[in-house]
Amino acid sequence: MSKTPRIATGPQGRLDAPAQAHPPAPPAPAGPPADLAHQKRQFTDFLAARKLKLTRQREAVLDEILANPGHFEAEEIVQRLKANRHRVSRATVYRTLDLMKECLLVERLDFGTQAAFYEHVQEGEHHDHLICVHCGNVIEFHNDELEATQSVVCRNFDFQERYHSLRIFGLCSKCRQLPS
């Protein structure tokens, strides 16, 4: 049975605090903020280096992902683009996601379900995930001590980190209280 993750965030730097539900995403501003414009240029340069173009279809996929924070499935992007009357094929969405992943603008996430989830990678921001194996709840958290420990491990092994993803699977507080 595939469980769709429900996303919650934990307070910054605390692992023991209760999670809070994500607020709904605010409407996209008219025109991209500076960091989104930078990421759009980054993707355009990435494509150009591979002798590829930023087609209208790729740009529609890119804009949809950059404008909407949170975890998503590729099919959600297909449906949102259709709802906004963009003519983009499912194959183009998947190929663009692969390119964005290679460019480090999105991360493909495995929450222990059949579905693949993606997340827009915000430059300079990082968080990890706690995933409930019973209900599918996903809790985002950041812990400076954990990040520092990972950096020490990389230094000890003379390893240059490019990126990392930490996922801890277990039972959330609600599911631990359910009768067996």
Side-chain angles (χ1 to χ4, degrees):
M1 171 171 102
S2 176
K3 298 177 186 116
T4 301
R6 292 189 316 276
I7 311 302
T9 59
Q12 291 292 327
R14 300 249 343 253
L15 296 178
D16 57 347
Q20 301 164 0
H22 264 295
D35 60 330
L36 295 183
H38 168 73
Q39 289 185 323
K40 200 167 185 175
R41 272 193 314 279
Q42 177 184 345
F43 189 58
T44 303
D45 293 345
F46 172 85
L47 292 173
R50 284 154 182 75
K51 306 221 183 309
L52 299 170
K53 294 181 181 177
L54 182 64
T55 62
R56 283 193 323 264
Q57 293 84 1
R58 283 185 184 137
E59 187 171 23
V61 174
L62 176 68
D63 289 344
E64 184 65 35
I65 291 168
L66 295 181
N68 293 292
H71 306 106
F72 59 89
E73 293 179 66
E75 191 59 34
E76 289 177 57
I77 300 300
V78 171
Q79 296 307 316
R80 281 190 261 174
L81 290 169
K82 281 184 181 180
N84 291 324
R85 301 196 187 277
H86 290 284
R87 294 179 53 104
V88 179
S89 73
R90 183 172 279 100
T92 296
V93 170
Y94 278 96
R95 282 193 300 262
T96 303
L97 280 168
D98 286 343
L99 289 166
M100 290 180 72
K101 183 177 168 255
E102 191 177 338
C103 185
L104 302 179
L105 289 175
V106 298
E107 182 179 359
R108 187 174 189 268
L109 303 167
D110 176 3
F111 291 144
T113 65
Q114 296 276 340
F117 287 84
Y118 297 86
E119 180 174 46
H120 171 212
V121 176
Q122 299 281 348
E123 198 168 333
E125 293 181 23
H126 174 74
H127 63 264
D128 296 301
H129 300 96
L130 302 172
I131 300 128
C132 181
V133 296
H134 186 262
C135 71
N137 188 33
V138 176
I139 301 167
E140 295 179 347
F141 72 94
H142 177 84
N143 182 280
D144 291 332
E145 291 176 28
L146 189 56
E147 296 301 317
T149 299
Q150 291 172 141
S151 293
V152 168
V153 169
C154 288
R155 270 195 310 278
N156 288 346
F157 286 92
D158 193 24
F159 186 82
Q160 183 179 26
E161 177 186 356
R162 190 163 177 211
Y163 59 90
H164 76 269
S165 174
L166 175 66
R167 296 162 299 134
I168 301 173
F169 293 86
L171 293 173
C172 69
S173 60
K174 287 181 183 176
C175 290
R176 281 195 331 269
Q177 294 173 12
L178 295 174
S180 303

